[in-house]
Amino acid sequence: QVQLVESGGGLVQPGGSLTLSCAASGSIFNSYFMAWYRQAPGKEREFVASISTGGITFYTDSVKGRFTISRHNGENTVNLQMNSAKPEDTAVYYCYAQRTTSRYWGQGTQVTVSS
């Protein structure tokens, strides 16, 4: 069982930066595939970025070059650095963990990009 707790959300101006963090419980964090998803009002949840156990990253096209996902296995955390934020990045951001058939979600953290 893994529990995921997101933090770092808030209000950011267009063009600004924000770092989201996801803290995971458990002692085998480094064996989990980790990802961030987001859900904007009235829209379905969508994939944002992922990082494999080996550190391979993947991003949805709309955030490439602006967002960076990283994992810190010694601290059981995965971060999402958001740069050059856009209003369309406004959403609830969810942390996701997967190992074989076990999948876990955090409760989400709100990110609002607005002036």
Side-chain angles (χ1 to χ4, degrees):
Q1 190 80 5
V2 173
Q3 290 186 325
L4 304 173
V5 179
E6 302 97 335
S7 62
L11 176 65
V12 60
Q13 292 187 342
S17 298
L18 201 64
T19 300
L20 305 183
S21 184
C22 172
S25 65
S27 60
I28 52 174
F29 173 79
N30 60 1
S31 67
Y32 280 82
F33 170 90
M34 303 298 297
W36 286 93
Y37 284 73
R38 66 186 179 186
Q39 187 168 18
K43 295 187 177 181
E44 293 187 353
R45 191 172 298 189
E46 65 173 359
F47 169 83
V48 176
S50 65
I51 186 165
S52 71
T53 56
I56 297 173
T57 58
F58 190 77
Y59 300 90
T60 192
D61 285 346
S62 63
V63 308
K64 283 181 180 177
R66 300 189 298 119
F67 291 11
T68 302
I69 188 171
S70 60
R71 66 187 301 156
H72 310 278
N73 291 334
E75 299 174 358
N76 282 16
T77 58
V78 59
N79 292 341
L80 185 69
Q81 174 69 42
M82 305 170 58
N83 296 328
S84 303
K86 301 178 179 180
E88 50 263 43
D89 294 324
T90 295
V92 177
Y93 283 71
Y94 296 91
C95 183
Y96 171 83
Q98 180 178 344
R99 185 170 72 101
T100 61
T101 59
S102 299
R103 304 180 180 189
Y104 305 94
W105 292 94
Q107 292 299 306
T109 186
Q110 175 71 45
V111 173
T112 302
V113 183
S114 175
S115 55

